[in-house]
Amino acid sequence: MVESIPSLAALKRHIASLDRAPARDACARFATGHAPLDDALGGGLACGRVHELFGEGEEEGAAAGLALLWAQLAGGEAPLLWLRTQGAARVGGAPYGPGLAALGLDPARLLIGTMADDAMLLRAGIDALRCPALGGLVMELRGRAPLLDLTASRRLALAAEASGVTALLLRIGGAPTPSAADTRWRVTAAPSAPLPGNGPGRAAFALTLLRRRAGSDGQAWRLVWDRDRGSFGDAGDERHDDGRDRADAYAPLSGAELPLSAGRSAADRAA
Amino acid sequence: MVVETVRGAMRLCSVDADALAIGLAPGMTLADARACEPDLRVFDADPHADQDWLERLCDGCARYTPNAAPDGAAGLMLDISGCGHLWGGDEALAADAAARLERHGLRVRHAIASSPEAAHALARFPGPPAPDEDAAVRRLPVEALGLDAADAVALRRAGLRTVGDLASRPAATLAARFGEEAIDALDALLGRGHRPLAPRRPRAAVRIDRLFAEPIGSTAYALTILEEMAAQAGERLAERGEGGRRFEAVFFRSDGLAFPLRVETSLPVRDAPAILRLMRERIDSLSDPIDPGFGFDMLRLTVPQAEKLAPTQLALEGGEARREDSVAALVDRLSIRAGRARIQRLAPRDSHMPEQAQLALPAVEPRAPESWLERADAAGEPDDPPLRPLHLFDPPQPIEVMAQLPDGPPHRFRWRRGLHDVARYEGPERIAPEWWRAKDGAIAGDGIGRTRDYYRVEDARGRRYWIFRHGLYGAEATHPAWYIHGLFA
């Protein structure tokens, strides 16, 4: 028993060296511009990590928009790559250049890859994450995506860490499974602050932090994208804010999400 | 023998020498042929497969000359000017080519002549040996001119049996009776005109061949040799200040087949490891792997397309800057593995119709300097919300809409079996079809384009959609249909 302690320590050191645990505090972060969210995450989302965004089938516009905007914030002026499958392109519609430009994303800097299936998409995703010149990667997966298991997501996370490219996994209509993602979010569209004449206003998103590798989770935020400033703002600094309408739509939504993050399985946390 | 269905009857379309010997000929019905000889071996005609096979043989003949082209349905034309001495004379080259083709079980007839037409005719109408080419051509029957069967019969009736008979007559009378084509064909056959050969492969900027004394049986070894050749090609390109946009490697198998591999890059390259990496990607993506068979006896690397590429800047710590890290290299890799059209870039297009306002172009093609940000419909005024959706459905998807007035804004709509209450809307934004192109703006199965009234709507849960009414109520349609055209972020 006495002899085994040094070997145990050596084994632990060995495992630690295999794990190559990155210095979490040192890694670069990109700020969204929404102060409460950035504060809660310690300065923003981590660059060179995998972030998962879950959205219902109905919410694909909001979820894809948020993923692209975050990828742009992470990558700055570098090109972005949006990987989709043929099935997604058939069901979800094609990316639309004028609409991208209207959100403040330059379509000339966006590459769109339409892959035959999920396996091809994951392979292409790993390749893309090994290319440090890329600004950000959005991978759109639909449904359960059984190929994206713990091993596959760990591979993505390692490739992202090595190159520093931020990966946003856009999961449309999927349920959270164990993964190596740094953060996991649920995204829905939020009612916008109306324009004069009751027209839909700037893009607004309701976010719930489902899981976070290092730190607390379960919080919910509402973000509004300000194209002219190029960052997210609080819903509060909108000019035509009507709090009553927002509260109506928002309260049942976050209430429904909270038990999910509190009562998740041990395996989920272990990932 | 091969049969095809002509006007409802199975007819022979080509027969082999044994069948010809027992009196069968193309054009007979299969039933008649079976009556002559009961145990025939019959195959269905497949012209596409024949053409494909011929093209592969033609590619294989690139070992003799870069100018090779398929000739008709069952011939190959090789321009061997200046190539014969490499094989010990023109006759030796022709004999080698014939022997190589006969190994596939083909029956080969060949002829060498100073013009393509003469060679074509001499190979198809063999005759006794002649002292020189001109005499041989003059001895050919009039059918060798390739005229209509009726014209050939008319010539024979007039007592003109050979090309020589025809050549001794004045051209004007022939032209008056048989038309300009007869004179053209005669001139070409006698070598008076000059028609260049259209080779299957255009001439390449850089070409490197490697011949092996012994065929090599391993693809991996062939690839290491290809890397040496790529380095050599890179040096030659560097001397000219160019980089290749397309590379083609051909593996010539000793039995005459050739396997071409083509890769394309989005930016000019001359870096051997980068080229080889793309080649390996290409091999991985092949549905059936390259089969060395009895081994490759020759490799060829060509650069069909090259562009200016300035000498590369050396990185500070020594060595060239790593190209494989760039996004262009990523685009090349993904395009080769997944397919050329799968990695795309969006380019603006000048059109009012929303679905025609953009083009998705393959990202490996050189990018045109077009700016999205100057477009008025994209950005709008500062401080505006997005006026165009992030996702666009093409074609638009039909929805059921309830509106208080037939030409009023939508109140509630049903899409994908879900009911959406409109909480906010803005519109209509009226987009009329481009009248100078009446088909534009038509929805599938509808024929003609109508005016569209677009609304940006937000439902009670905050989801934003772009929907439109197709047709002006009362003027263009009595019950205008509604469609959903896009999703906003």
Side-chain angles (χ1 to χ4, degrees), chain B residues 382-462:
Chain B
D383 217 33
D384 264 356
L387 300 179
R388 289 287 179 271
L390 188 62
H391 289 86
L392 192 81
F393 296 112
D394 192 18
Q397 300 184 356
I399 50 174
E400 289 170 34
V401 169
M402 267 176 267
Q404 282 168 343
L405 294 168
D407 57 349
H411 181 64
R412 176 180 290 170
F413 64 96
R414 185 183 290 280
W415 176 56
R416 288 185 184 165
R417 294 195 291 278
L419 203 59
H420 303 266
D421 280 313
V422 174
R424 303 198 172 108
Y425 73 89
E426 187 181 67
E429 178 188 354
R430 183 159 293 177
I431 298 180
E434 294 168 343
W435 52 264
W436 59 98
R437 281 185 294 211
K439 282 274 185 195
D440 283 9
I443 310 273
D446 196 351
I448 189 147
R450 300 198 189 106
T451 309
R452 300 174 183 182
D453 277 351
Y454 278 91
Y455 291 88
R456 291 194 305 120
V457 304
E458 181 173 305
D459 73 2
R461 295 183 62 186

Side-chain angles (χ1 to χ4, degrees), chain B residues 137-440:
Chain B
V137 169
R138 283 173 186 278
R139 236 181 251 175
L140 286 171
V142 287
E143 284 82 1
L145 285 172
L147 301 176
D148 292 345
D151 284 349
V153 170
L155 284 171
R156 280 191 176 277
R157 290 226 179 106
L160 301 168
R161 293 179 188 283
T162 67
V163 173
D165 293 343
L166 217 55
S168 58
R169 308 278 150 186
T173 51
L174 284 178
R177 173 71 179 80
F178 299 105
E180 221 32 65
E181 306 88 71
I183 299 298
D184 282 352
L186 189 63
D187 280 350
L189 211 51
L190 293 169
R192 290 182 200 147
H194 177 68
R195 284 187 222 168
L197 200 62
R200 220 172 105 68
R201 302 256 163 269
R203 181 160 298 188
V206 171
R207 199 183 98 189
I208 292 169
D209 287 352
R210 195 65 67 88
L211 277 158
F212 307 117
E214 284 286 316
I216 48 176
S218 136
T219 312
Y221 182 51
L223 281 172
T224 56
I225 292 174
L226 192 65
E227 182 154 12
E228 286 171 23
M229 292 162 68
Q232 211 178 330
E235 279 168 25
R236 278 209 229 164
L237 285 168
E239 281 166 17
R240 300 157 49 148
E242 288 184 332
R245 282 284 319 279
R246 254 189 276 154
F247 296 87
E248 183 173 317
V250 190
F251 296 75
F252 290 92
R253 232 164 68 169
S254 52
D255 58 358
L257 286 188
F259 294 94
L261 284 181
R262 295 182 193 101
V263 297
E264 195 177 351
T265 63
S266 56
L267 289 176
V269 238
R270 50 171 179 251
D271 176 29
I275 299 167
L276 254 286
R277 200 171 309 113
L278 295 178
M279 288 285 178
R280 283 179 212 274
E281 290 279 353
R282 189 80 197 82
I283 291 175
D284 287 346
S285 70
L286 291 177
S287 50
D288 42 345
I290 292 184
D291 174 18
F294 297 108
F296 304 114
D297 59 356
M298 179 167 145
L299 287 180
R300 165 170 298 170
L301 180 72
T302 53
V303 186
Q305 195 186 346
E307 282 177 6
K308 287 273 167 266
L309 175 65
T312 35
Q313 171 77 46
L314 297 183
L316 275 180
E317 60 271 25
E320 292 192 359
R322 293 180 65 201
R323 185 190 175 269
E324 61 261 40
D325 286 350
S326 76
V327 174
L330 173 70
V331 167
D332 297 345
R333 270 206 302 278
L334 294 181
S335 300
I336 282 168
R337 188 179 318 141
R340 193 172 181 279
R342 285 196 182 270
I343 308 292
Q344 295 178 323
R345 199 191 293 278
L346 300 176
R349 188 167 172 272
D350 197 11
S351 172
H352 301 304
M353 300 312 295
E355 63 267 36
Q356 289 163 12
Q358 72 171 10
L359 286 173
L361 301 172
V364 288
E365 284 182 4
R367 185 183 358 173
E370 286 177 281
S371 172
W372 280 91
L373 302 175
E374 291 162 9
R375 291 167 56 92
D377 63 336
E381 296 294 312
D383 217 33
D384 264 356
L387 300 179
R388 289 287 179 271
L390 188 62
H391 289 86
L392 192 81
F393 296 112
D394 192 18
Q397 300 184 356
I399 50 174
E400 289 170 34
V401 169
M402 267 176 267
Q404 282 168 343
L405 294 168
D407 57 349
H411 181 64
R412 176 180 290 170
F413 64 96
R414 185 183 290 280
W415 176 56
R416 288 185 184 165
R417 294 195 291 278
L419 203 59
H420 303 266
D421 280 313
V422 174
R424 303 198 172 108
Y425 73 89
E426 187 181 67
E429 178 188 354
R430 183 159 293 177
I431 298 180
E434 294 168 343
W435 52 264
W436 59 98
R437 281 185 294 211
K439 282 274 185 195
D440 283 9

